[in-house]
Amino acid sequence: MLLLTATCIGFATGALRSAFSLAIVATLIVVAFAIAWLVSPAPVSFLNLLIAIGGYNLGIVGLMGAVFVTETRSQTA
């Protein structure tokens, strides 16, 4: 579920086409995990942070791939 949520966030952020928004959201993901690590009485899994970052990047790459495929098809048709 974490991977799917992070992928959707990456997809939505990539649709904004702003480098600033991409950087801010990536920073906010890390900040949210840092705050959870500081205030949580239970241990926080850093594997979940890696999954969230990987899912975020997967969403961005997926959006770029979708844009590339759709623009290539429209140019050849």
Side-chain angles (χ1 to χ4, degrees):
M1 193 66 189
L2 179 62
L3 181 69
L4 180 62
T5 303
T7 303
C8 290
I9 290 171
F11 198 82
T13 307
L16 295 175
R17 296 185 183 218
S18 168
F20 179 74
S21 63
L22 290 171
I24 278 293
V25 172
T27 303
L28 288 175
I29 289 173
V30 174
V31 167
F33 270 89
I35 291 172
W37 177 67
L38 289 173
V39 300
S40 176
V44 176
S45 172
F46 287 104
L47 179 62
N48 287 339
L49 176 61
L50 294 177
I51 291 170
I53 292 171
Y56 179 68
N57 289 331
L58 184 66
I60 294 169
V61 170
L63 177 70
M64 291 172 58
V67 168
F68 177 73
V69 166
T70 56
E71 286 187 7
T72 303
R73 287 187 181 180
S74 67
Q75 290 176 356
T76 58

